[in-house]
Every structure is written in C-alpha cells, then in structure tokens.
C-alpha cells in the first residue's frame, strides 16, 4: 500500500531531523544559526511571516491564515502587527495575555488551532527548530545554563539575550549528573506536539470546587517522597501542569474568564516576570505565548468587576468580529460543506451566495448616511463597484460603527439549515430557494432570536430573495442569448459607433447602401434607459464613455465589453428585454412545441456546461424564472 510507504518515509524523515549533543555542540550550532534561540513570541511571528504575506486592497493578507479564515484580513493584520510583531521584538506587549474576543463561531478557536498546528509543523523546519535540555519535563531553554554574570559577555559575542533562570530540577541535575560542568549538559532537538504535550498546552476550566491548581503548575509526587525525603526536592515534583508543558511554545486558555480567580493570579507573574510559583521551589521561568478567548458579554462582566483590575492591564484584547464580506462568507460555507459528508450533494450556483447575503445583512448596522442603504453597504464592503461611491466611502462607513460585526447570524446556523435542507429533501441537488425557505423556518427554533429580531431577519430574507430573483433572471438571460458575449459585443460596438458620431457631430455610413445617416438616437436611448439615464443626462453619459475609450487608447489598452460596468449592465438588460417574450413563452409553456422544446434543451445544456448547474437545478431555475416573468 502507498500509505505504508509514506508512513515509512515519514518515520525516516523524523529520524533525520533528530539532533543530540552537548551544550558545547549547541553553542557551535548557535554560531551558524542564531535564530534557533528565538523566543516563543518570535517563533510564532516568524512562522506567520514565513508562510508568505501579500496585499489585497491595501490590506496585508497572511497566507498562513488564508485557507481557514475568511474575511478577517483587518482583524488578523491588527493581531499580527499590534501584538505578535512587537512581542517578537521583545517589547512590552509580550508580557500580556492575548485575549481574543468575539461572537460565537466567529473564528477564535479556529485561529488558535491554526497557531497550534502551525507550530507543530514549524518546529520540524530549519527556521523553526527548537532545542531543549535533554530529559527536562519542561523542555527548558539550554541558554538558562549560562550563569547570570556571564550573560552580558554572551550577548556581546553571540548577539543573543538570555532571559530566565535554570529550573530547580535542572539546577540539581547540573550538580549531581554533570558535576557542574555546563559544557557537558546534553541538549536535544524537540518537536512541538499537543498530543505528546510538548510545547503546546490547553487549559479548560471545569468545576471550581474540584479543579486543582496542579492542572496549571504541576504537583507533588507523593509516591517518591519516601525515596527523596522532602517535598522540596524537585525530583519529588511532577512538572506536568499546562504551564510546564507549554513552555517554549503556546498555551491556549479556553474560556479564560469563566475560570476561578486563583487560576488567573498565576498569569500575573508569568506574563509580567516570565515565571510562576510551583510547590516549595523558587520561581520557575517559562517562555510561552498565552492566548485565551471569550465572548463580549463575559468580557464586559469581567471588566466591570473591580477585583480583576490587576489583570486588566496584563491583557491585550483583540476583537475577532464576524466576516462582513459576502464572497468570503461563501468560502466559509464551502469549507464547512467540504469537511462534511454531504460534499457530493449538488448545490446550485448562487445558493451559498444568497445565504451569505442574508447572513451579512444581519451583521451590518444601518448606515447613518441617507444616500446609502443596507444593500449598497453590503456591496461596498464586498469590494463591488457601486456608482457614485469609492474606497473613501467604505472607510467612512466602517468608522460609523467600530464594533460592527460583533453580532448577527453565525455561520453554524446557516450550515445547520443547509444540512437540514439536504437531509429533508433527500435528493442530490438543492437551490437558493430551498435554503432561504429553510433559513426562514429555522428562525422559530433559534433560542436567542427575539420577536423583534425575527421581524428584521425576515425582511433580510426578503431582500436576499429579491437579489436572487435578479441573479436568476440574468443567468437565464445569458443562457438564452446564443453566443451571449458575441451578441453583447456586437450591440456594444454598434452603440459606441453611434456615440462617437453623436459626440463628434458627424454622420455614419450605412454598411449596406453606403449612404450617410444620422446617429441612431432610438438605439442609443433604448440602451441608456435600461440603467435610468435620463434625456438630460444622456449627453454627459455619452461623453464619459468617449473619455474612457480615449483613456484606454492612451494606455495602449483595448476598451471592451467589461471596461465600463454601467454600460455592460445596460447592454445585458437591453439584450434580455429584447428576448423577454421568447423566454417567458418558452419557460412557462406546459406543453412546448418542437421549436420551444429544442430551445429549452439548448438553454439547459448551456446552463449545465457553462454555468455550473445540473439537469435538476437547471430545470428548476427555468421554471422559477418563467413564473417571475409571468407575474
């Protein structure tokens, strides 16, 4: 089996990565590769950067997050640039607990899981290699072996700062096993693994009455006290708490603010001083990134409690709101469906888009500006061109409600409703109407939706339905027009010839008779009226088109069908208007004649071949558009 060969190859690769040597050997490694002595925060930052950084609309896009998190570019840029980057440079923010705050199913847990899995993989690369004192349960940094009075000299020679003190156990081992000879202490390469509890830990609060602080800091091994004679002997202590095991890497503090206060006080010392108290020992040094997550309600309650003031300044809060872009929300649904057992069900084009529209509308706040409605705002946020608005308007809209995206419908609800639709219909194809119907039915079962919210959400479902009606009509329009692009191009070229003649006050030559004729005003108006260009505005619109053509020509580019959004829309609507009666008759006839049947079959074939439908969803679409046109 191929999988057995691959397992064998994986094992061989793991063996090649392993390294073991003395502290003296480790220092030689440091001369060649000083980056292996990086801090936990630095390792996380470099891991994210090494995966690649791009730019989209002036915002940084981190490839590390791009496969799992969608529409959170701004939040992620803030997280990396305002927390990870300065923390990696040893600035004061590294002495803070990172608290991700946001609504349910907004991506907080996914983000932390990505960091954990990323660190596991990164520790197997050259740039992410981690070395520790061999046999240490806390995977301690070998540089802790360097005595305090030599650290300045070490910095001057190697350019590496050493922070933290040798743990009680390794201090004892240094004396008893190595006779104080630091250069002989054995060092090994370690690989982060949450399953093996190496460099990655997870702490989850449970019943405060029964949960023990030992879950965080380790505990005394009573079975060894008789052997070692004292509770203060480090060999009689289990360094197996989450803070011990997460040393050098990351610890996730799940639902941190639900935790009993006595657990949180340990974080004060760890974050500020880089150490914590365990058993009857001196403070134990630990270098780890502590990341927690919570929702907004719990955070507000935590802030309101005066007893927590000491912790407030030790926490950096990073909001993780819901995504507010329709196209990115679609990707979230696609990802969740692909991870399920219904990935083979045919989902008709625009189904997920329409569901995403409804979801995004529930998360947006009503604009304060009178010239922008919720639908325009939704389109602007998604990067669409909306006539009369630009990127400055988008930035202004975002400033109106800084907390936007912290409420609304979560992706899990939508996926649950899509799943319900698939299971209930028991067929291999669903469309937008099926999902909208299911979303509507589900509002009654949603525990946190008030009657007032329900009314609002029903209105958003109606808006999404109207948007789908337009999408459906356009889809059928494209399929009905034979050689659609060629027909559109011919109509546009004809329009542009007439516009050019009109603006330059010249006549056109008839291609058949050769006689000179005036620009076809009727043709031009029939196209311009499709997008609401009034008689008074027609001259300005035509001149704008001519200026655009000239601008393209100067840059050596060809002005084509996709060069002007409003003109393209007008051409599409004009073509569809000319065909409307044909479409209406063909799609609504219960017993089509031979010609009509041939046309329907051609359209269905085109919808399947060029637009991503199957035979069921294509026929459903035709019937629906026929009913729309007959209203």
């Amino acid at each position: 089996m191929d999988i057995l060969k691959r397992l064998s190859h994986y094992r061989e690769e793991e063996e090649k990565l392993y390294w073991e040597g003395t502290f003296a050997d480790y220092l030689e490694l440091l001369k060649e590769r000083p980056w292996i002595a990086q801090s936990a925060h630095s390792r996380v930052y470099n891991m994210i950067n090494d995966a690649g950084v791009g730019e989209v609309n002036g915002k940084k896009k981190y490839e590390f997050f791009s496969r799992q998190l969608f529409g959170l570019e701004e939040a992620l840029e803030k997280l990396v640039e305002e927390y990870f980057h300065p923390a990696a440079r040893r600035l004061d923010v590294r002495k803070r607990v990172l608290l991700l705050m946001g609504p349910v199913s907004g991506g907080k847990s996914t983000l932390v899981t990505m960091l954990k899995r990323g660190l596991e993989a990164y520790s197997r690369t050259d740039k992410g290699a981690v070395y520790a004192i061999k046999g240490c349960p806390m995977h301690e940094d070998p540089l802790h072996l360097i005595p305090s009075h030599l650290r300045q000299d070490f910095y001057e020679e190697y350019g590496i700062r050493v922070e933290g003190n040798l743990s009680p156990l390794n201090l004892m081992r240094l004396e008893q096993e190595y006779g104080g000879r630091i250069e002989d202490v054995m060092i090994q390469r370690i690989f982060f693994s949450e399953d093996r509890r190496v460099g990655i830990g997870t702490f989850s609060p449970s019943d405060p009455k029964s949960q023990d602080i030992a879950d965080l800091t380790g505990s005394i091994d009573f079975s060894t006290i008789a052997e070692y004679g004292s509770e203060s002997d480090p060999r009689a202590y289990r360094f197996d708490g989450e803070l011990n095991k997460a040393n050098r890497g990351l610890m996730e503090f799940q639902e941190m603010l639900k935790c009993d206060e006595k657990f949180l006080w340990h974080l004060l010392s760890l974050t500020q001083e880089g150490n914590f108290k365990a058993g009857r020992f001196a403070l134990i040094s630990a270098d780890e990134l502590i990341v927690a997550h919570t929702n907004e309600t719990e955070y507000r309650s935590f802030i309101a409690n005066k007893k927590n003031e000491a912790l407030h300044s030790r926490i950096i809060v990073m909001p993780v709101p819901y995504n507010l872009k329709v196209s990115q929300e679609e990707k979230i649904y696609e990802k969740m469906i692909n991870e399920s057992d219904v990935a083979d069900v045919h989902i008709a084009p625009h189904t997920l888009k329409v569901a995403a529209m409804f979801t995004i509308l529930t998360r947006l706040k009503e604009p304060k500006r009178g010239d922008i409605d919720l639908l325009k705002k939704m389109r602007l946020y998604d990067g669409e061109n909306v006539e009369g608005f630009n990127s400055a308007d988008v930035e202004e809209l975002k400033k109106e409600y800084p907390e936007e995206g912290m409420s609304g419908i979560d992706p899990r609800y939508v996926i649950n409703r899509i799943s319900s639709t698939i299971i209930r219909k028991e067929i291999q194809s669903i469309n937008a109407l099926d999902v909208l119907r299911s979303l509507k039915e589900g509002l009654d079962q949603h525990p946190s939706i008030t009657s007032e919210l329900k009314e609002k959400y029903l209105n958003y479902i109606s808006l999404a339905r109207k948007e789908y009606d337009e999408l459906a009509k356009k889809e059928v329009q494209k399929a009905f027009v034979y050689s659609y692009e060629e027909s559109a191009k011919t109509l546009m070229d004809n329009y542009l010839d007439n516009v050019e003649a009109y603006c330059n006050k010249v006549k056109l030559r008839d291609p058949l008779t050769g006689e000179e004729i005036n620009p076809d005003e009727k043709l031009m108006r029939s196209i311009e009226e499709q997008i609401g260009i009034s008689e008074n505005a027609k001259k300005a619109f035509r001149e704008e088109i001519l200026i655009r053509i000239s601008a393209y020509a100067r840059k050596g580019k060809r002005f084509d069908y996709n060069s002007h959004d409003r003109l393209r829309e007008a051409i599409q609507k004009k073509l569809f208007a000319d065909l409307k009666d044909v479409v209406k008759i063909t799609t609504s006839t219960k017993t089509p004649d031979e010609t009509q049947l041939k046309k329907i079959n051609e359209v269905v074939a085109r919808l399947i071949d060029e637009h991503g439908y199957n035979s069921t969803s294509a026929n459903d679409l035709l019937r629906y558009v026929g009913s729309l046109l007959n209203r």
Side-chain angles (χ1 to χ4, degrees):
M1 281 179 69
D2 186 52
I3 187 68
L4 294 178
K5 286 181 184 175
R6 292 177 72 176
L7 285 170
S8 175
H9 178 68
Y10 174 77
R11 191 164 56 251
E12 287 167 13
E13 289 298 311
E14 287 284 287
E15 287 167 4
K16 283 180 192 173
L17 289 175
Y18 186 77
W19 182 93
E20 187 178 300
T22 64
F23 184 69
D25 298 329
Y26 176 67
L27 289 181
E28 290 302 313
L29 267 186
L30 272 186
K31 284 180 181 175
E32 296 171 26
R33 298 185 287 162
W35 61 82
I36 61 179
Q38 63 191 324
S39 68
H41 290 83
S42 176
R43 192 173 290 109
V44 172
Y45 175 68
N46 289 331
M47 169 186 74
I48 294 167
N49 257 7
D50 288 348
V53 185
E55 197 169 293
V56 179
N57 300 324
K59 303 288 181 189
K60 284 188 178 178
K61 183 184 179 185
Y62 297 95
E63 294 302 323
F64 179 83
F65 299 109
S66 62
R67 290 184 183 177
Q68 294 282 326
L69 295 172
F70 305 101
L72 296 179
E73 288 81 14
E74 288 179 32
L76 291 171
E77 183 176 359
K78 188 178 179 187
L79 172 66
V80 175
E81 294 304 318
E82 293 186 20
Y83 182 77
F84 288 133
H85 191 183
R89 303 292 293 273
R90 296 182 182 270
L91 291 170
D92 221 43
V93 294
R94 72 195 169 106
K95 297 177 179 180
R96 308 284 182 271
V97 174
L98 173 62
L99 180 64
L100 305 175
M101 180 189 68
V104 294
S105 192
K108 303 184 297 296
S109 298
T110 303
L111 198 160
V112 180
T113 301
M114 289 186 76
L115 292 176
K116 288 195 218 173
R117 298 294 83 81
L119 279 173
E120 288 177 344
Y122 195 57
S123 69
R124 285 165 170 74
T125 66
D126 283 343
K127 285 193 174 181
V130 190
Y131 295 81
I133 296 172
K134 187 179 181 183
C136 172
M138 284 185 59
H139 337 294
E140 190 165 4
D141 187 344
L143 295 184
H144 286 184
L145 289 160
I146 298 172
S148 300
H149 66 279
L150 293 178
R151 290 183 178 182
Q152 183 58 34
D153 295 337
F154 179 78
Y155 174 67
E156 288 169 8
E157 184 178 347
Y158 286 83
I160 298 168
R161 295 188 188 279
V162 182
E163 293 180 346
N165 298 315
L166 204 58
S167 67
L169 180 62
N170 285 324
L171 198 57
M172 178 179 277
R173 290 179 63 209
L174 175 62
E175 295 303 323
Q176 294 187 0
E177 293 179 31
Y178 299 100
R181 290 180 59 80
I182 293 170
E183 62 272 27
D184 293 340
V185 175
M186 293 303 293
I187 310 299
Q188 66 178 16
R189 184 173 177 181
I190 61 169
F191 305 103
F192 288 164
S193 167
E194 185 173 19
D195 293 338
R196 295 188 176 98
R197 301 189 74 211
V198 178
I200 295 174
T202 303
F203 183 80
S204 185
S206 57
D207 182 4
K209 292 175 183 175
S210 60
Q211 191 160 32
D212 191 351
I213 200 73
D215 294 351
L216 267 185
T217 61
S219 61
I220 295 165
D221 185 352
F222 289 102
S223 66
T224 61
I225 290 176
E227 182 184 348
Y228 298 120
S230 170
E231 289 183 19
S232 60
D233 189 310
R235 292 170 299 180
Y237 197 84
R238 291 196 188 103
F239 293 89
D240 60 357
E242 294 304 319
L243 292 180
N244 306 104
K245 293 301 182 181
N247 186 33
R248 313 295 301 287
L250 175 151
M251 190 190 84
E252 177 187 9
F253 215 125
Q254 293 180 346
E255 302 297 341
M256 186 180 96
L257 304 185
K258 287 179 181 171
C259 213
D260 191 80
E261 289 170 12
K262 67 181 179 185
F263 291 90
L264 300 182
W265 298 130
H266 274 280
L267 301 183
L268 286 174
S269 173
L270 181 59
T271 52
Q272 194 60 41
E273 308 299 335
N275 52 45
F276 62 91
K277 188 80 172 111
R280 298 177 181 178
F281 307 116
L283 292 166
I284 296 174
S285 295
D287 169 33
E288 56 198 84
L289 162 65
I290 297 176
V291 56
H293 39 89
T294 189
N295 59 51
E296 196 171 4
T297 309
E298 282 175 358
Y299 178 69
R300 300 293 169 214
S301 172
F302 173 76
I303 288 294
N305 188 343
K306 295 290 181 185
K307 287 197 296 183
N308 297 324
E309 282 183 352
L311 270 168
H312 295 177
S313 60
R314 304 298 208 287
I315 292 173
I316 289 228
V317 181
M318 283 289 166
V320 182
Y322 282 135
N323 156 59
L324 296 175
K325 296 176 182 175
V326 170
S327 56
Q328 298 299 306
E329 191 72 11
E330 275 187 88
K331 290 180 182 177
I332 294 172
Y333 302 154
E334 283 168 8
K335 182 192 87 167
M336 294 170 91
I337 288 167
N338 289 336
E339 290 169 353
S340 73
D341 289 336
V342 294
D344 59 331
V345 172
H346 173 75
I347 297 175
H350 309 302
T351 300
L352 298 183
K353 182 174 185 173
V354 172
M357 284 178 181
F358 161 70
T359 312
I360 299 301
L361 286 169
T362 69
R363 297 172 185 172
L364 294 176
K365 305 276 186 188
E366 201 68 48
K368 292 176 183 175
R369 286 173 53 172
D371 57 341
I372 296 181
D373 61 20
L374 216 53
L375 281 172
K376 278 183 184 172
K377 183 176 182 177
M378 178 185 78
R379 292 194 181 100
L380 284 167
Y381 273 20
D382 203 29
E384 286 186 42
N385 289 322
V386 177
E387 194 70 27
F389 301 99
N390 54 35
S391 56
D393 294 298
V394 177
E395 293 307 313
E396 190 182 317
L397 283 169
K398 287 177 181 176
K399 285 173 186 171
E400 284 183 350
Y401 302 101
E403 76 287 0
E404 195 169 42
M406 297 302 265
S407 61
I409 291 289
D410 64 281
R412 282 182 198 145
Y413 170 77
V414 178
I415 287 297
N416 288 345
R417 299 315 303 166
I418 291 173
S419 305
S420 171
T421 306
I422 291 168
I423 301 302
R424 190 170 65 247
K425 282 193 80 174
E426 291 184 347
I427 57 169
Q428 293 300 298
S429 175
I430 63 166
N431 58 39
L433 295 176
D434 296 326
V435 172
L436 284 177
R437 202 176 297 117
S438 185
L439 287 169
K440 185 177 180 181
E441 290 167 2
L443 293 178
D444 291 325
Q445 303 161 24
H446 204 294
S448 61
I449 294 179
T450 62
S451 55
E452 187 185 345
L453 260 183
K454 183 184 172 186
E455 195 177 326
K456 222 178 195 182
Y457 288 175
L458 287 172
N459 181 43
Y460 295 151
I461 287 174
S462 298
L463 285 175
R465 168 79 177 266
K466 284 175 186 170
E467 290 294 300
Y468 175 65
D469 290 352
E470 292 305 310
L471 287 169
K473 284 190 278 190
K474 279 182 183 176
E475 202 85 304
V476 171
Q477 158 196 329
K478 286 181 183 179
F480 256 90
V481 179
Y482 180 71
S483 301
Y484 176 72
E485 294 293 335
E486 285 75 7
S487 302
K489 183 178 177 298
T490 303
L491 182 57
M492 190 189 77
D493 287 344
N494 197 358
Y495 173 77
L496 293 177
D497 288 342
N498 281 279
V499 163
E500 201 169 346
Y502 170 86
C503 291
N504 293 328
K505 297 185 172 62
V506 296
K507 292 193 174 185
L508 289 164
R509 192 171 294 279
D510 189 300
L512 295 176
T513 63
E515 65 177 301
E516 287 190 334
I517 53 173
N518 289 320
D520 190 341
E521 184 65 25
K522 188 178 177 184
L523 169 76
M524 289 188 286
R525 290 303 294 141
S526 71
I527 291 171
E528 290 156 359
E529 284 168 354
Q530 300 295 331
I531 51 171
I533 303 292
S534 67
E535 184 70 28
N536 293 333
K538 70 180 185 184
K539 186 172 184 289
F541 180 74
R542 292 170 189 176
E543 287 171 349
E544 182 204 323
I545 296 289
L546 211 57
I547 290 167
R548 182 76 66 92
I549 293 170
S550 301
Y552 269 69
R554 280 200 308 275
K555 293 175 185 174
K557 291 161 70 177
R558 178 174 166 74
F559 184 91
D560 61 21
Y561 174 64
N562 292 306
S563 299
H564 195 286
D565 291 336
R566 292 194 75 204
L567 179 57
R568 183 178 67 228
E569 184 188 348
I571 296 286
Q572 287 177 353
K573 286 185 173 178
K574 169 64 177 161
L575 282 170
F576 194 47
D578 293 347
L579 274 170
K580 209 167 190 175
D581 290 337
V582 178
V583 175
K584 192 189 294 186
I585 294 165
T586 311
T587 56
S588 60
T589 305
K590 289 182 180 177
T591 52
D593 60 30
E594 191 177 335
T595 307
Q596 289 167 340
L597 193 61
K598 186 182 176 187
K599 190 68 179 171
I600 288 172
N601 289 335
E602 279 179 11
V603 172
V604 168
R606 201 161 293 124
L607 285 169
I608 293 169
D609 296 340
E610 296 174 20
H611 299 281
Y613 291 82
N614 69 2
S615 59
T616 305
S617 60
N619 281 295
D620 286 346
L621 178 73
L622 284 178
R623 279 193 294 273
Y624 181 62
V625 170
S627 70
L628 285 177
L629 296 175
N630 279 309
R631 284 178 190 171

